[in-house]
Amino acid sequence: MKMTTNLTAPVKVSAIVPAYNLEEFIGPCLESLLSQKTQYSSEVVVCNDGSNDHTGQIIDSLAQQYANLKVLHNQPNQGLAKTMRRLLAASSGEYIAYLDGDDLALPGKFEAQANYLDANPQCNMVYTEMEVFDSETGQRLSLYSRDYYNAEFIPAQATIEHLIRYGCFMQVSSVMIRRHPRLTESVDDQCKIALDMPWLALNLLYAGGTVEKIDQILGRYRIHANSFGGQNRRSRERRLQVHADQMRVCELAEQHGLDQEIVAAGKRHYQYATALFFLKAEDFDLFREHIEQSTDGAWFLHARHQDIYRLKNHPEELLKKYFSA
């Protein structure tokens, strides 16, 4: 029997989901959104981006059960940027939630975030804590925002400045944003892999306001062999492209008038983060290249950054000091 909702009422929350070759995960992902209990009308908009597995069939089957599931199909594959624009254009909610097609929403997510945005008009982006879990075992690996390596710098009411300076301290599948007139312009197609960061940054650059956290676990971020993080760990070239995308975000912020000192700090931070990646990967030439560019000799993110820069010619010592098991 097809489940119905009050389709005549204005839509309060639209959840958008891009999907490509996710037959193992897309069903649980969509059902975690479609089963949300709310006092208002909501919709889930999913776009199958030309998958060549059973993702499309699974989505179409769910559409027969849920009247508030809106299905889009790209043929052929269009890539994430075009898929995101299509999803945003097709959404009608006052608030927009995002979920990657392999992640999960937990009960109460829609209600908690929509209520928060209703009660806090200065806030244009609200996120929640996310449980990072291993897909094969179901075991919790960490809490995304609590354990984020720059968490100490993130205040309760953050802004675009914190996002540029310290990176993506919220997991994108935890985010809900307030609709604004330039919504479809918030997707930057020059970024090739890390599209979440420019999307979040451009929404804040266009709409302003604060970024605030509901300190409650309302989603699960899945780690598996083909997840974003899993692919990055296996590929030197992919991680270098992620770095280029991150630097692009800083350039976008500068183009939109963000203070140059903040942008410069953001660029140095990303050089430092990339240096750490290659240090842990034991690619010492790329480690030294990026750590050199992470400071002007006076600015350091923290004492650990300064120490790693000081010992840059002794990477084995740094590995033992900071990353030994």
Side-chain angles (χ1 to χ4, degrees):
M1 179 180 295
K2 189 164 184 173
M3 296 182 65
T4 61
T5 188
N6 184 359
L7 299 179
T8 62
V11 175
K12 185 81 166 182
V13 171
S14 294
I16 61 170
V17 183
Y20 176 67
N21 286 353
L22 291 173
E23 62 182 3
E24 185 178 352
F25 308 122
I26 192 61
C29 168
L30 292 176
E31 289 181 325
S32 76
L33 294 167
L34 292 161
S35 62
Q36 295 283 314
K37 306 296 185 185
T38 66
Q39 300 300 310
Y40 44 76
S41 183
S42 64
E43 65 178 6
V44 178
V45 189
V46 60
C47 184
N48 168 36
D49 188 22
S51 299
N52 52 32
D53 63 1
H54 293 99
T55 297
Q57 295 95 309
I58 294 167
I59 291 170
D60 287 339
S61 176
L62 284 170
Q64 298 302 311
Q65 303 172 51
Y66 295 94
N68 62 330
L69 177 59
K70 187 184 295 185
V71 177
L72 309 172
H73 289 284
N74 290 340
Q75 199 59 251
N77 174 268
Q78 298 293 307
L80 184 54
K82 289 182 179 179
T83 299
M84 281 289 291
R85 287 199 194 96
R86 193 174 181 202
L87 284 164
L88 290 165
S91 68
S92 56
E94 179 183 354
Y95 304 137
I96 312 294
Y98 177 88
L99 199 69
D100 279 324
D102 50 359
D103 292 337
L104 299 167
L106 292 178
K109 171 184 168 64
F110 283 3
E111 194 85 21
Q113 291 187 286
N115 288 347
Y116 192 94
L117 288 169
D118 282 347
N120 296 276
Q122 80 286 347
C123 177
N124 278 326
M125 184 179 295
V126 62
Y127 65 104
T128 73
E129 187 57 89
M130 287 283 281
E131 179 184 55
V132 182
F133 75 103
D134 179 84
S135 186
E136 290 189 8
T137 66
Q139 180 180 357
R140 176 186 290 184
L141 303 175
S142 65
L143 294 181
Y144 188 93
S145 294
R146 184 201 67 183
D147 299 330
Y148 183 66
Y149 72 109
N150 283 334
E152 64 187 290
F153 301 114
I154 310 304
Q157 288 190 325
T159 66
I160 181 62
E161 296 182 4
H162 298 94
L163 190 64
I164 297 302
R165 277 185 181 273
Y166 304 116
C168 207
F169 50 86
M170 77 286 278
Q171 210 285 323
V172 67
S173 288
S174 75
V175 167
M176 185 179 286
I177 65 171
R178 197 182 299 273
R179 179 175 289 276
H180 58 84
R182 303 184 70 177
L183 193 63
T184 58
E185 298 174 54
S186 62
V187 180
D188 181 76
D189 57 10
Q190 291 192 38
C191 290
K192 305 302 181 186
I193 296 177
L195 269 73
D196 52 347
M197 179 70 168
W199 182 65
L200 296 171
L202 283 169
N203 276 303
L204 290 169
L205 288 164
Y206 287 139
T210 57
V211 188
E212 303 186 23
K213 180 186 179 186
I214 297 174
D215 198 16
Q216 183 180 353
I217 301 170
L218 289 173
R220 303 188 79 206
Y221 171 40
R222 186 190 303 271
I223 299 296
H224 57 93
N226 291 315
S227 65
F228 178 84
Q231 292 184 67
N232 288 346
R233 284 189 289 273
R234 294 196 303 271
S235 170
R236 174 180 186 269
E237 289 71 24
R238 183 179 171 91
R239 185 60 181 83
L240 287 170
Q241 181 58 58
V242 168
H243 175 70
D245 291 347
Q246 292 168 334
M247 299 298 277
R248 166 72 179 164
V249 174
C250 295
E251 292 164 6
L252 287 170
E254 188 171 22
Q255 291 170 16
H256 284 79
L258 199 65
D259 183 87
Q260 289 188 355
E261 183 179 339
I262 294 168
V263 172
K267 288 180 177 180
R268 290 176 185 140
H269 158 253
Y270 281 122
Q271 296 286 5
Y272 171 62
T274 304
L276 291 185
F277 175 88
F278 286 116
L279 174 62
K280 287 185 281 187
E282 299 187 28
D283 190 331
F284 297 145
D285 288 340
L286 278 174
F287 158 67
R288 279 187 284 263
E289 176 184 330
H290 287 283
I291 201 69
E292 285 282 4
Q293 297 178 62
S294 72
T295 179
D296 58 3
W299 180 93
F300 293 97
L301 185 63
H302 41 46
R304 180 181 176 182
H305 180 192
Q306 187 170 12
D307 189 48
I308 290 172
Y309 179 77
R310 180 179 63 85
L311 294 172
K312 60 183 179 293
N313 292 320
H314 304 279
E316 293 88 353
E317 181 179 340
L318 287 170
L319 279 173
K320 185 179 297 185
K321 183 173 183 179
Y322 289 112
F323 301 111
S324 60

